[in-house]
């Protein structure tokens, strides 16, 4: 039996958890049927019309992209617009499109780790730590006969946020629980203990449902916040070079290692460099984090004139390798990673990197 789109999404979410995505981002399934079987997968940077059309011609079932097809909610769907024409094309060919964007930027082993590794950085730390949602543990004690009702209550119906409760859960029988009755008598009962973890957005609807259930049944539940360990996740990375070099040598080395035709740099070419910060994609918003991290050089894309002036005035260095070059390297890496995972799972899936993409900018 072929895995479904939903099965592939579960694997992708384990690589790049959606909770790591920035608040403004739109990650996950953009177009498609979660229950549709999948045999052929493409990985690409952008869901452009050219890429989607080629995927349809190649009978691809699932297109995985880094950049979202839909950034903002659509008020209506006009097939004459660029977005609408892509959605129309994908729907007519039963092509599902899934996006892992800023969550893949932040995740361990994601784009920023890959970029930093290619440059030759070690001892990596996030440039800006991920803002993971607060998680809570709910512990429920209930009579054994209530087990199925509670399970249906928690895991089958969607919550008010539109999501099913997911995450760590356990069911543990507790024999001989001491139950205190209002009369002061003690009765030994056969009970169960259920533990679930929920994020802040799911806490209110879950506790509301439990409170309503509690009023009609003999259950008890406790809620407590969890302290999440540092996962080393976040936008950008800061790392050290094996040995100190001057800024000009570093820039030339990056150009060679990333196979770039050109790059831009600002700063003193003779600046000694030992610590470097990187941010895939557009890194201008992390300039303050760069100044605070102690690195001598910042490597990113889409950097602006005044960013260069600010870095120059601080006697630091800036290297703009371009948006496309800083992110496209994840395509081959993710393709190989997914192929290995599905091979280990003994899933007969054909995962390929889209080979028709190129940087939209041309330098004359």
């Amino acid at each position: 039996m072929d895995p479904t789109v939903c099965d592939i999404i579960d694997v992708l979410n384990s690589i790049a958890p959606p909770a790591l995505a920035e608040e403004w981002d739109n990650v996950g399934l953009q177009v498609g049927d979660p229950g549709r079987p999948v045999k052929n997968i493409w990985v690409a940077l952008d869901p452009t019309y050219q890429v989607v059309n080629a995927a349809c011609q190649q009978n691809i079932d699932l297109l995985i992209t880094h950049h979202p097809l839909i950034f903002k909610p659509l008020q209506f769907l006009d097939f004459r617009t660029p977005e609408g024409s892509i959605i129309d094309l994908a729907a007519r060919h039963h092509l599902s499109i899934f996006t892992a964007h800023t969550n893949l930027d932040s995740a361990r082993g994601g784009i920023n780790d890959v970029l930093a590794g290619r440059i030759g950085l070690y001892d990596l730390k996030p440039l800006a730590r991920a803002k993971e949602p607060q998680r809570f543990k709910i512990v429920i004690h209930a009579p054994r006969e209530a087990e199925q009702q509670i399970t249906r209550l928690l895991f089958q119906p969607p919550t008010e946020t539109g999501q099913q409760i997911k995450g760590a859960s356990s069911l543990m029988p507790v024999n001989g629980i001491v139950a205190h009755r209002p009369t002061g008598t003690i009765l030994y009962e056969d009970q169960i203990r259920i533990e679930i973890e929920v994020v802040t957005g799911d806490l209110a609807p879950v506790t509301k449902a439990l409170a309503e259930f509690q009023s009609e049944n003999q259950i008890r539940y406790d809620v407590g916040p969890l302290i999440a360990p540092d996962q080393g996740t976040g936008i950008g990375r800061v790392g050290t070079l094996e040995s100190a070099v001057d800024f000009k040598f570093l820039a030339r080395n990056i150009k060679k290692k990333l196979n770039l035709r050109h790059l831009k740099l600002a700063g003193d070419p003779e600046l000694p460099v030992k610590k470097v910060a990187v941010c895939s994609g557009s890194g201008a918003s992390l300039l303050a984090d760069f100044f605070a991290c102690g690195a001598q050089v910042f490597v990113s894309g889409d950097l602006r004139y005044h960013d260069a002036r600010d870095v120059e005035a601080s006697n630091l260095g800036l290297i703009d390798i371009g948006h496309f070059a800083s992110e496209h390297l994840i395509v081959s890496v993710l393709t190989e990673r997914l192929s290995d995972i599905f091979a280990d799972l003994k899933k007969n899936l054909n995962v390929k990197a889209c080979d028709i993409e190129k940087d939209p900018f041309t330098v004359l």
Side-chain angles (χ1 to χ4, degrees), residues 21 24 68 77 214 219 236 291 297:
W24 48 264
L77 193 55
Q214 182 185 41
I219 72 166
F291 287 135
V297 172

Side-chain angles (χ1 to χ4, degrees), residues 3 8 11 335-351:
I8 310 303
V11 173
T335 299
E336 184 177 351
R337 191 178 303 174
L338 289 173
S339 296
D340 290 343
I341 290 173
F342 295 135
D344 290 342
L345 294 173
K346 294 182 170 39
K347 301 295 184 182
N348 188 23
L349 287 167
N350 182 26
V351 186

Side-chain angles (χ1 to χ4, degrees), residues 24-301:
W24 48 264
D25 203 3
N26 180 34
V27 301
L29 188 63
Q30 309 281 295
V31 176
D33 176 2
R36 192 170 183 82
V38 175
K39 288 185 178 179
N40 299 305
I41 299 174
W42 258 17
V43 181
L45 185 66
D46 296 303
T48 62
Y49 187 90
Q50 290 75 16
V51 168
V52 172
N53 185 53
C56 292
Q57 297 303 316
Q58 295 291 324
N59 295 318
I60 301 301
D61 303 301
L62 174 63
L63 174 65
I64 301 166
T65 67
H66 179 53
H67 292 133
L69 172 61
I70 304 170
F71 256 120
K72 297 179 180 179
L74 300 174
Q75 293 182 327
F76 63 94
L77 193 55
D78 185 345
F79 294 152
R80 297 169 299 178
T81 65
E83 255 181 0
S85 64
I86 293 171
I87 294 171
D88 175 44
L89 180 63
R92 284 190 286 108
H93 288 83
H94 302 290
L95 172 69
S96 297
I97 302 176
F98 178 90
T99 290
H101 190 208
T102 52
N103 49 328
L104 188 57
D105 291 332
S106 291
R108 276 189 178 275
I111 298 182
N112 281 291
D113 280 327
V114 173
L115 177 60
R118 292 280 178 91
I119 290 174
L121 301 182
Y122 300 89
D123 301 324
L124 301 179
K125 297 180 180 178
L127 179 57
R129 294 198 181 278
K131 298 177 181 178
E132 296 190 41
Q134 176 67 58
R135 301 185 70 86
F136 297 84
K137 176 181 280 190
I138 303 177
V139 181
I140 306 161
H141 292 276
R144 183 176 294 279
E145 58 267 22
E147 175 185 338
Q148 291 187 356
Q149 291 175 278
I150 295 173
T151 302
R152 285 197 298 269
L153 178 73
L154 294 176
F155 298 105
Q156 290 186 13
T159 65
E160 291 180 2
T161 61
Q163 301 289 326
Q164 285 187 313
I165 304 303
K166 293 184 178 180
S169 64
S170 64
L171 176 64
M172 181 171 61
V174 184
N175 295 315
I177 290 290
V178 179
H180 292 271
R181 301 299 186 188
T183 59
T185 60
I186 296 178
L187 177 66
Y188 286 86
E189 291 186 340
D190 187 17
Q191 293 202 345
I192 57 167
R193 171 190 172 100
I194 300 174
E195 295 184 4
I196 63 171
E197 291 182 16
V198 298
V199 296
T200 303
D202 286 330
L203 182 62
V206 170
T207 53
K208 179 182 177 182
L210 284 172
E212 292 174 353
F213 187 80
Q214 182 185 41
S215 65
E216 301 177 3
N217 300 271
Q218 295 177 357
I219 72 166
R220 178 174 62 83
Y221 67 91
D222 300 297
V223 181
L226 293 173
I227 300 175
D230 177 21
Q231 300 291 327
T233 58
I235 298 293
R237 293 293 183 268
V238 181
T240 56
L241 297 166
E242 190 172 357
S243 58
V245 298
D246 64 47
F247 183 34
K248 182 169 62 176
F249 179 89
L250 174 67
R252 286 176 173 170
N253 201 33
I254 289 175
K255 183 180 179 182
K256 180 180 179 181
K257 287 185 174 181
L258 298 183
N259 194 28
L260 304 177
R261 296 182 61 186
H262 66 274
L263 51 70
K264 297 187 294 184
L265 62 156
D268 180 3
E270 306 302 322
L271 174 72
V273 181
K274 178 66 176 176
K275 193 173 183 180
V276 178
V278 303
C279 178
S280 60
S282 301
S285 63
L286 271 73
L287 208 60
D289 298 280
F290 163 58
F291 287 135
C293 77
Q296 292 83 44
V297 172
F298 185 36
V299 181
S300 188

